[in-house]
Amino acid sequence: MSQLLLEVNNLKTYFHVEGGLVKAVDDVSFTVNRGEILGIVGESGSGKSVTCLSAMRLIATPPGEFAGGEIIYHKPDGTTVDLLKIPLPEMRKYRGNDLAMIFQEPMTSLNPVFTCGAQVVEAIQLHQKLPLAEAKALTIDLFASVKLPNPQRIYDAYPHQLSGGQKQRVMIAMAMSCKPSLLIADEPTTALDVTVQKTILDLINELQTEKAMSTVFITHDLGVIAEIADRVIVMYQGKIVEQGSVMDIFSNPQHPYTKGLLACRPPLGKRLRKLPIVSDFMNTDAGSGEVSVKSNSISVKEMLEQVEIKPEETRQRLENLQKNPPLLQVQNLKTYFPAKKSFFGKVLSWVHAVDDVSFDVHEGETLGLVGESGCGKTTIGRTILRLVPATEGQVIYRGKSVFDLSRSEMKDMRRHMQIIFQDPYSSLNPRMTIGASIIEPLQIHGILNNDKQRMEKAAELLTTVSMLPEHLNRYPHEFSGGQRQRICVARALALEPEFIICDESVSALDVSVQAQVLNLLIDLREKYKFTYIFISHDLSVVKFMSDRMVVMNRGKIEEIGPADEIYNHPSHEYTKKLIDAIPIGTLERIQTRMKNKTGHYTI
């Protein structure tokens, strides 16, 4: 049997859009071998997802166009077929049976009006023609194999009744239902908790080993690639810029773009003044897209050493911050939500989202809140700002009880307390220009004399967040995710607040864009002396941003203390579990994984 499973030769996938032609995949060639996990990594827009959607023939034509190339599938019987040449009805026979795909967002991939079990049964009956009873039994077995709790309950549950990690497992079960030769996983762990991400990665590794199945794993995070891939392809602007074994890519990256991706992930073993970004390693010609190495190009290790902060400097900053009076005091805070009501509306049980939480935030400090989804960290942030009513407790800001303020007094208080939400797209009104969105808080609070002055202020704010004044007349959909998050930061700065809550503000961004936004928040903190509460499920990001860290679990504080101290010497098992789940991507960890997988260190 041939070692090759899939050959992609000189693939070109273009899109005809208003204003020209987008070469999403531009002359890309690679192979996938039987039984291996191939990682494809790059930023949003690099072409990695479009490459795999092309292999599945899931590109809408028009506006898409297969402008050239071939995708050769090597069948188990030794024959081959070019997937781009066969008619679509024939292609449907290969989807599911031979090639299966897990999409990035399981909620949009699952039909909300059908149970999870019914959707998997449909896929099985479509391809395997099994009776309903056999298809149902196979579905429940598949749910058990992907380690879903109580498979019978999941079978009867609707997608909205499951967590993000559980929905992703349902998608994996559906993809595995017809025992495909190749599984394509398109960003299957993006925006999931690190603990859930680890279970998904472990599950894909186990299934690949047990079923001798090939996997193409797409992600923007090289840390995740280090946990799962055998070989790696790095894509940039529709082209492959580097490929090799996972050990080669991590130990000796050749292309400046690869170096940038490796460097911009917050390291755990050291504290940095700022995160390196891709542009620190390469120049890009905006017109041609040509990439060149910077004249002062250095290694990832040398770059990190240049921006490293010594431990004594970190300790001194923390000691100085502790001398400042508390800007914010949270005292015995409780926020409960109704879980079950009687027919007459009486609450029968409550969800204790925040359960007796107390902490102080000192002026100029960044306090990190970290924990899994559902731990209560976002509810704390919203309760502090009175966006969610508290059940009990007090929030004291500069000596005033926030919960005792009248409506007009709270409006004035919100000039000093702002929030940056997780999803910048849903935070911005799609029918308002960026300029209108930024000046809206200035209008509400009657700041400046007229809208002309406010627009001048908005232009100044956009410049502050490294955007251009001419962007004021554009709409949110005309910007990337990182740019929209910068716009939300500019709007939060409009009222010149003292205190900002960042609620998962970088969780769904590419690691390279994430690094830019985190650096921006650090620069603004130093320039304007902001005080932050930084909320995230990613402990590595929280550690980079925070002076002190609060670890939360099920509405309660597990531990609180200096961020470096908690990482280096965690005192609770829950914190240790969060740390162990972080994809750190060290050479030692890759070597250990490869040794366990193949019996020797490299492949």
Side-chain angles (χ1 to χ4, degrees):
M1 184 182 293
S2 170
Q3 187 67 18
L4 278 176
L5 179 70
L6 195 74
E7 288 181 85
V8 177
N9 298 320
N10 307 110
L11 179 66
K12 297 178 181 179
T13 305
Y14 299 164
F15 290 92
H16 297 271
V17 297
E18 186 178 347
L21 186 71
V22 175
K23 296 183 178 181
V25 179
D26 192 13
D27 199 19
V28 163
S29 300
F30 63 91
T31 59
V32 182
N33 296 319
R34 292 186 183 277
E36 79 166 339
I37 298 180
L38 175 70
I40 302 181
V41 68
E43 298 170 284
S44 296
S46 64
K48 56 189 188 298
S49 292
V50 175
T51 298
C52 291
L53 288 169
S54 299
M56 296 289 288
R57 292 278 295 276
L58 292 174
I59 299 294
T61 54
E65 173 196 358
F66 295 116
E70 56 185 13
I71 298 175
I72 307 298
Y73 172 60
H74 292 250
K75 296 192 282 188
D77 62 7
T79 61
T80 62
V81 59
D82 186 345
L83 299 177
L84 293 182
K85 300 286 194 299
I86 59 177
L88 271 176
E90 186 179 346
M91 181 63 204
R92 293 190 187 104
K93 297 176 183 177
Y94 287 98
R95 290 194 203 120
N97 270 329
D98 299 276
L99 298 88
M101 191 163 184
I102 307 168
F103 296 96
Q104 178 172 352
E105 178 45 67
M107 192 65 207
T108 58
S109 304
L110 293 168
N111 192 321
V113 301
F114 291 102
T115 64
C116 295
Q119 296 183 62
V120 179
V121 164
E122 180 186 26
I124 292 171
Q125 289 190 302
L126 179 66
H127 290 286
Q128 299 188 36
K129 313 300 182 186
L130 293 180
L132 177 59
E134 288 184 36
K136 179 177 179 179
L138 177 57
T139 298
I140 292 174
D141 287 344
L142 284 165
F143 285 169
S145 71
V146 297
K147 298 180 172 59
L148 278 165
N150 195 341
Q152 181 61 60
R153 182 188 72 81
I154 301 294
Y155 183 93
D156 296 322
Y158 289 89
H160 72 273
Q161 295 175 299
L162 306 184
S163 69
Q166 288 174 332
K167 286 195 283 281
Q168 199 60 283
R169 287 166 190 253
V170 170
M171 288 298 300
I172 293 173
M174 187 184 298
M176 297 296 299
S177 62
C178 298
K179 301 178 181 177
S181 300
L182 175 66
L183 175 67
I184 298 174
D186 184 9
E187 301 264 18
T189 61
T190 298
L192 295 179
D193 293 337
V194 287
T195 48
V196 179
Q197 173 178 271
K198 185 176 188 301
T199 60
I200 297 296
L201 295 177
D202 289 345
L203 175 61
I204 291 175
N205 264 319
E206 287 174 23
L207 292 172
Q208 186 268 336
T209 303
E210 290 173 9
K211 312 292 184 184
M213 175 185 66
S214 300
T215 303
V216 174
F217 194 97
I218 301 169
T219 182
H220 60 260
D221 190 345
L222 271 166
V224 172
I225 286 290
E227 298 292 316
I228 195 166
D230 302 319
R231 284 193 302 123
V232 184
I233 288 172
V234 182
M235 291 192 67
Y236 178 71
Q237 292 187 353
K239 295 179 180 292
I240 293 176
V241 295
E242 185 167 1
Q243 58 181 310
S245 74
V246 66
M247 275 299 301
D248 288 342
I249 295 295
F250 276 80
S251 62
N252 189 27
Q254 297 299 305
H255 198 275
Y257 181 67
T258 310
K259 293 178 182 179
L261 289 180
L262 282 168
C264 62
R265 176 79 180 167
L268 285 161
K270 58 186 73 178
R271 182 172 282 271
L272 305 184
R273 203 172 308 280
K274 69 166 191 171
L275 289 171
I277 57 177
V278 171
S279 61
D280 290 330
F281 294 88
M282 71 182 195
N283 297 307
T284 304
D285 186 322
S288 66
E290 291 297 318
V291 176
S292 63
V293 182
K294 284 201 167 181
S295 58
N296 61 342
S297 179
I298 59 176
S299 69
V300 173
K301 182 180 178 182
E302 290 170 327
M303 175 64 77
L304 294 178
E305 287 173 350
Q306 286 186 5
V307 293
E308 185 176 356
I309 300 176
K310 301 302 180 187
E312 52 269 24
E313 186 179 342
T314 301
R315 284 195 295 270
Q316 187 61 54
R317 171 179 163 81
L318 194 58
E319 287 175 10
N320 292 339
L321 289 170
Q322 295 294 307
K323 295 174 184 176
N324 295 335
L327 180 73
L328 181 82
Q329 297 170 282
V330 177
Q331 301 173 348
N332 306 108
L333 187 64
K334 297 180 181 179
T335 305
Y336 299 165
F337 298 109
K340 187 177 180 182
K341 293 183 178 181
S342 69
F343 179 79
F344 297 102
K346 181 181 178 181
V347 177
L348 302 177
S349 61
W350 297 85
V351 174
H352 293 199
V354 180
D355 196 8
D356 199 18
V357 166
S358 300
F359 59 82
D360 293 343
V361 185
H362 294 268
E363 197 165 345
E365 179 182 29
T366 299
L367 181 75
L369 293 184
V370 67
E372 297 172 289
S373 296
C375 70
K377 55 189 187 297
T378 292
T379 304
I380 286 178
R382 296 184 177 217
T383 305
I384 288 171
L385 295 178
R386 272 179 59 179
L387 299 176
V388 170
T391 305
E392 286 183 28
Q394 283 291 332
V395 172
I396 311 296
Y397 184 83
R398 287 205 179 278
K400 292 184 178 180
S401 172
V402 173
F403 298 158
D404 293 336
L405 298 177
S406 66
R407 189 168 181 173
S408 62
E409 289 172 327
M410 191 64 214
K411 179 182 173 182
D412 292 336
M413 179 66 78
R414 288 208 172 102
R415 286 189 58 176
H416 308 293
M417 307 166 73
Q418 288 289 300
I419 185 168
I420 303 169
F421 293 101
Q422 177 173 354
D423 182 1
Y425 194 74
S426 60
S427 304
L428 296 167
N429 189 326
R431 293 181 292 181
M432 291 174 66
T433 64
I434 297 310
S437 291
I438 294 175
I439 70 168
E440 185 180 33
L442 298 173
Q443 292 170 328
I444 290 171
H445 289 274
I447 297 173
L448 302 177
N449 297 324
N450 52 56
D451 282 353
K452 183 177 182 295
Q453 292 181 355
R454 293 176 187 125
M455 275 296 182
E456 290 172 357
K457 175 72 172 177
E460 180 187 323
L461 289 167
L462 280 183
T463 304
T464 301
V465 299
S466 304
M467 292 188 69
L468 301 175
E470 49 261 41
H471 291 154
L472 286 171
N473 295 321
R474 297 185 187 177
Y475 289 85
H477 71 272
E478 298 179 76
F479 297 92
S480 68
Q483 288 174 319
R484 284 196 290 264
Q485 197 59 282
R486 289 171 182 267
I487 292 163
C488 290
V489 172
R491 188 174 63 176
L493 299 179
L495 298 176
E496 300 180 0
E498 304 170 300
F499 171 67
I500 300 177
I501 296 174
C502 302
D503 183 14
E504 296 273 16
S505 52
V506 297
S507 65
L509 300 178
D510 291 341
V511 287
S512 52
V513 179
Q514 172 181 282
Q516 295 172 27
V517 174
L518 292 176
N519 287 342
L520 171 65
L521 293 172
I522 292 284
D523 290 343
L524 293 173
R525 183 184 70 185
E526 301 308 311
K527 182 177 180 180
Y528 297 107
K529 309 303 178 187
F530 287 141
T531 303
Y532 287 133
I533 286 183
F534 193 89
I535 299 169
S536 178
H537 62 260
D538 188 336
L539 193 142
S540 62
V541 170
V542 172
K543 178 180 175 293
F544 167 73
M545 284 294 298
S546 305
D547 300 297
R548 288 186 304 135
M549 186 159 40
V550 176
V551 180
M552 293 199 61
N553 184 24
R554 297 182 180 179
K556 294 182 178 292
I557 292 177
E558 291 281 351
E559 56 184 303
I560 183 171
D564 291 350
E565 183 68 23
I566 285 181
Y567 172 72
N568 294 322
H569 306 288
S571 59
H572 286 258
E573 284 302 317
Y574 178 75
T575 310
K576 293 175 184 176
K577 184 178 79 167
L578 288 179
I579 293 171
D580 290 342
I582 298 170
I584 55 177
T586 61
L587 293 178
E588 294 77 15
R589 190 142 156 176
I590 296 171
Q591 287 176 333
T592 301
R593 180 173 69 83
M594 287 302 175
K595 183 181 179 183
N596 293 337
K597 185 171 184 175
T598 66
H600 51 84
Y601 279 109
T602 59
I603 63 169

